[in-house]
Amino acid sequence: MLTPNLTVNEQGHLCVGGADCVQLAQQYQTPLYVMDEAVIRESCRSYHRVMEEAYHGNGMICYASKAFSCKEIYRIVREEGLGTDVVSGGELYTALQAGMPAEKIVFHGNSKTYAELEYAVREDVGRIVADHLTELAMLNEIAAVQGKTVSVMLRVKPGIDAHTHDFVQTGKIDSKFGFALETGEALEAVKACGTYSNLKLLGLHCHIGSQIFDTAPFAEAGRVMVRFMQQIRADLGIVLPELNLGGGPGIKYVQNDDPRPFGEIVNDIIWAVRETCAALDYPQPYLLFEPGRSIVGASGLTLYRVAAVKTIPNVRTYVLVDGGMCDNPRYALYQSQYEALCANHAAAPKDAVVTIGGKCCESGDLIGEHMPLQTVVAGDILAVLATGAYNYSMSSNYNRNPRPAVVMIRDGEAREIIRRESYEDIVRNDL
Ligand code: LLP
């Protein structure tokens, strides 16, 4: 099995965290997102632990909630001592509604609106990561109107190639995010902060990309950023107290994926930062990390019901399911690889190679191609694994398909944390 929390019971049914997936599909209908709370909590703890052990707790792990945002996930990560990263007014609202303390929220976004910034300042969000000069000017104006001083960080492009899919790379110079280092733009942004009386520059941020297996680019980003902090000290006499190194550690989607434990990756980054600080005689900054996928990705799976199997001789076999790109657009967007299995015959050998097709009116609506699978028939339950990150959060109502429910498993028991959308929900804003 892909992860240790997946087992097969005596009826041959797939179980997640001790809950029978076939029963879940019957009780909650399909498509259904299922998440295992123990896996989420353990991921939070492994990050938290390394921060305590390798860096004396001088930092904060902020869950990047773009990976999966709803009230319950903020409650869980908060209980585990994490803060959160939000990237829109909607995520900010959800986090605050769930009781996430504002000071533990980091607000990102390369194109935040004036209204979003006003909202964040009004709520006293702990850190706003500014992405361009216009944002700094807007923020200063908003802060002045509200009579506040706003803590900001600057998003920097450190010029690092992260060895991942181009669409999820963000640290290179040709990226819409942040201020480039090599052009001098980032240094200019630091200077600009000094001209705004209602802004307090806390530090720098970078995020080099997502689903990265290799530690080297992360550690290099840490070194580059500390060197830049030293340059700021030398040129401007400013010692910045904080450094946020973003998210990005990859997870295991298919058997061949072999990611290093997240704790080890963070440990390596912390060492790179410490060494560079020591070499430059720079005070060790308060460190922030923003993992998203690696907190929730492996905890989730999606259950579908097989609607039909269509074999085109000498071409391929389509297994058609009752969901698709509306609940998981990642194959359509990035050709992401997934593992699937028949949840009601989970121990049977995978003797077929299939394409899983969704129900949307679009040929590209696939969950995957060339996927090994048990021989299935209409009515079988299909499980697609490791769908906890960037699935629900990127889902849509394309073709007016209602979004599936999300259930959370704890101690073998399921509870609904997001209700299935109804047809009434689909028309609720139609006039
Ligand atoms: N911090 C910042 C500023 C980010 O932009 C991101 C992800 C993260 C943290 C969290 O990265 P993670 O630990 O989850 O890799 N939709 C794509 C992924 C986009 C990631 C965007 N930014 C996917 O489905 O693969």
Side-chain angles (χ1 to χ4, degrees):
M1 284 288 167
L2 196 68
T3 49
N5 65 325
L6 300 175
T7 51
V8 180
N9 66 15
E10 52 293 348
Q11 289 137 289
H13 295 175
L14 176 69
C15 295
V16 52
D20 182 323
C21 287
V22 178
Q23 280 177 17
L24 291 173
Q26 276 158 3
Q27 187 178 349
Y28 295 99
Q29 307 304 308
T30 51
L32 180 70
Y33 298 107
V34 185
M35 300 183 86
D36 184 344
E37 190 168 338
V39 174
I40 298 171
R41 288 188 184 273
E42 186 40 44
S43 308
C44 293
R45 284 171 202 172
S46 67
Y47 275 110
H48 204 64
R49 216 176 292 134
V50 67
M51 191 61 121
E52 293 298 313
E53 288 167 7
Y55 209 62
H56 312 298
N58 184 28
M60 178 163 62
I61 305 292
C62 291
Y63 163 62
S65 59
K66 69 209 75 182
F68 175 62
S69 175
C70 70
K71 289 185 188 173
E72 186 67 357
I73 195 70
Y74 293 110
R75 293 186 197 115
I76 292 173
V77 300
R78 179 186 159 208
E79 277 175 21
E80 294 299 331
L82 274 60
T84 194
D85 139 6
V86 300
V87 76
S88 68
E91 285 182 1
L92 174 56
Y93 180 79
T94 314
L96 291 170
Q97 285 275 307
M100 178 62 75
E103 72 267 16
K104 294 184 89 170
I105 299 179
V106 180
F107 188 21
H108 280 286
N110 68 296
S111 196
K112 303 179 196 80
T113 65
Y114 201 86
E116 284 176 321
L117 290 171
E118 278 183 315
Y119 176 36
V121 173
R122 197 164 54 241
E123 295 292 340
D124 295 318
V125 163
R127 291 163 184 83
I128 298 182
V129 182
D131 206 276
H132 50 78
L133 294 175
T134 313
E135 183 177 353
L136 288 175
M138 280 201 287
L139 256 181
N140 189 58
E141 185 178 298
I142 292 165
V145 169
Q146 297 190 21
K148 292 181 175 172
T149 300
V150 173
S151 294
V152 295
M153 303 189 85
L154 295 175
R155 176 149 186 174
V156 173
K157 287 183 267 197
I160 304 252
D161 185 342
H163 311 147
T164 184
H165 194 291
D166 263 356
F167 289 4
V168 293
Q169 293 231 21
T170 48
K172 295 196 291 190
I173 188 163
D174 184 8
S175 159
K176 69 172 182 167
F177 299 102
F179 301 97
L181 251 190
E182 62 241 68
T183 57
E185 200 189 350
L187 192 63
E188 288 308 311
V190 175
K191 288 184 194 160
C193 286
T195 67
Y196 292 123
S197 51
N198 292 74
L199 302 185
K200 180 176 166 207
L201 180 61
L202 280 186
L204 307 177
H205 167 273
C206 76
H207 168 78
I208 57 172
S210 197
Q211 184 59 8
I212 302 168
F213 281 172
D214 190 358
T215 310
F218 288 120
E220 184 54 15
R223 286 187 207 99
V224 169
M225 294 299 280
V226 174
R227 280 187 218 120
F228 181 44
M229 289 166 94
Q230 153 61 17
Q231 186 195 342
I232 292 168
R233 180 173 68 174
D235 290 4
L236 309 175
I238 299 170
V239 177
L240 294 174
E242 297 197 359
L243 176 59
N244 182 337
L245 290 171
I251 64 162
K252 182 169 178 151
Y253 281 107
V254 292
Q255 281 301 341
N256 284 345
D257 288 340
D258 189 18
R260 283 183 64 201
F262 319 130
E264 287 180 21
I265 295 177
V266 176
N267 197 46
D268 285 3
I269 304 171
I270 287 176
W271 272 103
V273 168
R274 291 175 78 145
E275 271 173 11
T276 316
C277 286
L280 300 172
D281 193 24
Y282 196 90
Q284 286 178 17
Y286 184 83
L287 273 184
L288 297 106
F289 291 100
E290 300 166 336
R293 189 191 312 270
S294 49
I295 299 281
V296 288
S299 78
L301 56 80
T302 309
L303 299 176
Y304 300 101
R305 195 170 283 275
V306 175
V309 179
K310 205 178 260 185
T311 297
I312 308 172
N314 304 321
V315 180
R316 64 168 97 194
T317 295
Y318 284 100
V319 172
L320 303 174
V321 297
D322 55 359
M325 68 192 296
C326 41
D327 57 79
N328 182 358
R330 296 192 70 258
Y331 187 76
L333 278 171
Y334 325 110
Q335 294 77 51
S336 302
Q337 301 299 304
Y338 284 99
E339 195 175 305
L341 52 98
C342 177
N344 47 309
H345 297 296
K350 291 185 175 176
D351 52 1
V353 175
V354 305
T355 292
I356 300 178
K359 74 193 295 288
C360 295
C361 274
E362 182 140 340
S363 301
D365 170 25
L366 306 174
I367 299 294
E369 297 174 274
H370 317 294
M371 297 173 81
L373 190 69
Q374 291 86 357
T375 297
V376 293
V377 294
D380 280 340
I381 304 296
L382 209 70
V384 175
L385 307 181
T387 58
Y390 303 111
N391 272 233
Y392 177 80
S393 65
M394 298 201 346
S395 64
S396 73
N397 289 130
Y398 185 41
N399 293 168
R400 294 234 137 176
N401 285 302
R403 284 188 180 78
V406 184
V407 296
M408 186 70 80
I409 309 298
R410 185 200 287 160
D411 300 329
E413 298 294 323
R415 68 182 189 285
E416 223 171 353
I417 62 164
I418 303 179
R419 262 197 297 271
R420 181 178 299 283
E421 285 180 346
S422 62
Y423 290 145
E424 293 78 55
D425 290 328
I426 293 286
V427 296
R428 73 179 178 275
N429 293 322
D430 291 8
L431 302 174

